[in-house]
Amino acid sequence: MNTTKRIRVIIAKPGLDGHDRGAKVIARALRDAGMEVIYTGLRQTPEQIVETAIQEDADVIGLSSLSGAHLHLFSKVIELLREKKADNIIVIGGGVIPEEDIPELKKMGIAEVFTPGTSTKDIIDFIKSKVL
């Protein structure tokens, strides 16, 4: 019997942002680190992301944003998780996010924010430290 927990991660691009190279790089790095990764694709609504995370029994949602709508979209995901009593799912954010917005994102419930230049190892280590 295998008792090793396999971390399940949803990588999502909320909103109208059409640039997903970073999200795909992160998805691949997490997969290569042994995690189960589901990439939802572009232009997902917060409702779609939360439903996918619940249906897939995800441990983590990774939200990627380049559009500047991160405060609105990320907060909506957190709000929906709370409404559906699924706020045990850890939410992390990434993308081009101004430093001054990071405290607000953490205050609303985003566990961590990873900006360009963050090593994939740091992201993997963070997720493992929160889930395992």
Side-chain angles (χ1 to χ4, degrees), residues 47-118:
E47 290 82 0
Q48 290 171 316
I49 294 166
V50 168
E51 285 304 316
T52 300
I54 291 170
Q55 288 174 3
E56 295 294 338
D57 195 24
D59 300 296
V60 177
I61 298 173
L63 299 172
S64 173
S65 178
L66 186 68
S67 69
H70 49 276
L71 289 173
H72 171 71
L73 294 168
F74 290 12
S75 69
K76 186 67 177 170
V77 169
I78 294 290
E79 177 186 318
L80 290 167
L81 286 170
R82 288 183 180 139
E83 283 177 15
K84 296 187 177 286
K85 308 222 181 308
D87 52 349
N88 61 320
I89 300 172
I90 297 163
V91 181
I92 60 175
V96 178
I97 296 173
E99 286 290 324
E100 61 268 22
D101 290 349
I102 293 174
E104 179 70 20
L105 290 166
K106 288 184 175 181
K107 187 175 163 188
M108 71 176 63
I110 302 297
E112 190 57 84
V113 177
F114 300 99
T115 55
T118 303

